[in-house]
Structures are given as structure tokens and as C-alpha cells.
Amino acid sequence: MGNLFCCVQVDQSMVAIKERFGKFDDVLQPGCHCLPWILGSRLVGHLSLRVQQLDVRCETKTKDNVFVNVVASVQYRAIANQASDAFYKLSNTEGQIQAYVFDVIRASVPRLDLDDVFEQKNEIAKAVEDELEKAMSTYGYEIVQTLIIDIEPDVHVKRAMNEINAAARLRVAANEKAEAGKILQIKRAEGEAESRYLAGLGIARQRQAIVDGLRDSVLGFSENVPGTSAKDVMDMVLITQYFDTMKEIGAASKSSAVFIPHGPGVVRDVASQIREGLLQASSVS
């Protein structure tokens, strides 16, 4: 109906290309326009001024011979005052942009190792954007932004990278565990040494107390029972301790004991051995 009355409507964020007798005549902005078709004017197409996005997947190889798929996202739009160039100069805008992206990525990534590709993806995106801006501006297009949104190594390479990472973490964990075990052993040894030291002090004090007790017992018994010597008192004390020991061994339900020849007469032999040992020690000192 608009063509019948020589009127056309151009929507917002769009421009229309007008020709007259097959030759470019004007760029029609959004709104209503008179198009006298009887005078050879006609509308040949529309061009969007909105920002468009093109995702380009490019397979290439890194410096360390790892094949990767690099996904670049290019955001672009037609320049309003160069709409005629954008409409007439390029027949396949997306194909042209894709070709430039392939060219830059395949020239940049092979100079980098795989780890550097991940670290320098912003530099790669900037290189792609600069090249596209310089090339596409002559065709009436503006490059708004270029992003490297994904870097995908081969699945076997990713698995190997994960295994290397896991091995490194396991090695650190093993070192930490070994260090903790070392500290634990040191602390255990220090505790055992301290325990033995304190046990030695306890035994020394115990023996000192036994000696003091025996001395007091001998002196007290000798004073209260006339005619007894220190030897008689020691024999009696040893016999008493002997029977106390036998009583404790017999009372225990579960005990390990080494049986040696015993009897009341043996105690006298033990007493004589103790005395001989004491006399030898005193003579050596």
C-alpha cells in the first residue's frame, strides 16, 4: 500500500538504501519517506545500525605444538554516515570478518606456548580488534569490541594438564604430610625424653626414700632391741620384702614371673650378695 501511494516507512535503528534508475541516490533515515516510483526511485534494501555479534571458532597450533580451538566474539555495527559503503562494498560481512579473525589468530597464537595463550588472551583480542578496525572501517563498519571468550585445547591435552596439576598438588600434599610426621616424631621423642628424665628423677627419689627408710628402721630397731646388729635387721627386712613380693605375685590374676630357687634360706644368700656388692662398691670408690 505504501508503494502505491509512493510512501515508505523506515524503522528505528535502521536505514534504507534508495536508488534512482538503478543508481544509488540516498540513505533514508528512520521515519516516513516519499518514494515516487514513477520517477524511477525505488527502495533496494535496509541496513541495521544495531550492534551485532559474530562468534568465530578458529583452530590453530601453539608454539609447543598443541592444537587449540580459539573462540573470538566480535561486536560490530554499520556506521550511519557510511551506510552506502556498508551496503554496496561487502556482499558477505560475516565472512569478511571471519577471514580477518582467522588471519590474526593464526599469526599470533603459533608464537606462544599454551600457557602463554591463556595468559595473553587479552593481547590476542586487542590484535584482532586493531586489524579488524583498520580493515572494516573502509567498508563502513565499526568494530565495537573483540573478546577471546574461550580457548579449548584437545581433550587429551586437557586431561594431561589436569594430571600434571593433580600430581603437583599431590607432591605438595606429600611434602606437607611428611613434614607434619617429622614434627610429630620430634615432639614424641622430646616427650619421651622428658618422660624418661622425670621417671629417672622419680626412681632416684624413690631409692633415696627407701635408703632413708631402711636406715631409720635399722637405727630404731637397734636402739629398741638390745643385742641386734644392723646385719640382723637387714636380713629381717629382706625376708619381709621377699614374702610381700611372693604375696603380690600370688594375688595377681594375670602376671608374668620368672621363678628362681627360693626359700627362706635363699634370702640369706641374697643378703650376702647385696652386702658384698655394697662392700665392693665402697672399696672401688
Side-chain angles (χ1 to χ4, degrees):
M1 184 64 68
N3 289 335
L4 182 61
F5 293 99
C6 300
C7 293
V8 294
Q9 175 183 313
V10 180
D11 296 334
Q12 186 65 35
S13 299
M14 300 283 292
V15 292
I17 305 300
K18 174 185 174 184
E19 289 183 354
R20 187 175 182 185
F21 295 113
K23 181 181 179 181
F24 170 72
D25 183 46
D26 195 9
V27 176
L28 304 182
Q29 301 298 322
C32 185
H33 299 272
C34 180
L35 197 69
W37 58 270
I38 57 176
L39 298 179
S41 297
R42 69 187 185 99
L43 201 65
V44 294
H46 293 78
L47 185 68
S48 175
L49 299 180
R50 296 176 181 175
V51 175
Q52 302 179 65
Q53 179 170 311
L54 175 64
D55 292 335
V56 180
R57 177 181 293 270
C58 176
E59 184 180 22
T60 185
K61 185 179 74 170
T62 62
K63 185 178 180 180
D64 47 353
N65 298 321
V66 177
F67 281 91
V68 294
N69 285 312
V70 180
V71 182
S73 179
V74 180
Q75 298 176 353
Y76 65 98
R77 64 184 173 192
I79 302 173
N81 57 6
Q82 291 182 270
S84 59
D85 292 337
F87 186 81
Y88 286 106
K89 287 187 175 181
L90 284 179
S91 61
N92 187 355
T93 305
E94 293 184 354
Q96 186 77 4
I97 292 176
Q98 187 176 19
Y100 279 108
V101 172
F102 281 174
D103 182 66
V104 176
I105 289 179
R106 287 175 176 169
S108 302
V109 173
R111 295 198 295 264
L112 303 173
D113 291 332
L114 180 60
D115 292 339
D116 295 333
V117 173
F118 284 94
E119 294 176 1
Q120 301 184 25
K121 69 183 188 68
N122 291 335
E123 287 78 2
I124 297 173
K126 187 65 170 60
V128 174
E129 183 176 342
D130 292 342
E131 185 66 24
L132 283 175
E133 183 69 31
K134 181 172 61 177
M136 299 302 292
S137 60
T138 60
Y139 299 111
Y141 282 94
E142 174 190 8
I143 303 301
V144 178
Q145 193 170 16
T146 302
L147 302 171
I148 301 298
I149 60 175
D150 199 6
I151 300 172
E152 299 177 354
D154 182 77
V155 62
H156 299 292
V157 176
K158 288 198 291 186
R159 185 181 299 113
M161 292 173 65
N162 291 333
E163 290 176 356
I164 292 172
N165 190 296
R169 292 181 182 274
L170 288 175
R171 184 168 61 252
V172 173
N175 290 335
E176 293 294 332
K177 185 177 181 180
E179 190 66 24
K182 175 183 175 182
I183 294 173
L184 185 62
Q185 289 182 357
I186 292 174
K187 293 300 181 182
R188 186 183 294 113
E190 291 177 352
E192 185 175 354
E194 185 68 17
S195 175
R196 289 183 177 180
Y197 172 75
L198 295 176
L201 291 179
I203 292 173
R205 291 175 180 175
Q206 180 187 24
R207 290 176 178 175
Q208 183 64 40
I210 292 173
V211 170
D212 293 341
L214 290 174
R215 184 182 65 246
D216 294 340
S217 298
V218 170
L219 292 175
F221 198 90
S222 299
E223 292 176 356
N224 295 326
V225 182
T228 58
S229 64
K231 174 179 176 301
D232 296 332
V233 176
M234 287 298 299
D235 289 342
M236 185 184 68
V237 171
L238 289 175
I239 290 174
T240 302
Q241 291 181 347
Y242 171 79
F243 283 111
D244 289 341
T245 302
M246 296 301 296
K247 179 180 178 181
E248 291 180 1
I249 293 175
S253 60
K254 295 181 180 179
S255 63
S256 298
V258 177
F259 290 95
I260 59 174
H262 66 282
V266 178
V267 177
R268 187 176 300 275
D269 296 336
V270 173
S272 63
Q273 292 175 9
I274 293 174
R275 281 195 299 272
E276 290 176 1
L278 292 174
L279 291 173
Q280 290 178 3
S282 61
S283 63
V284 171
S285 60

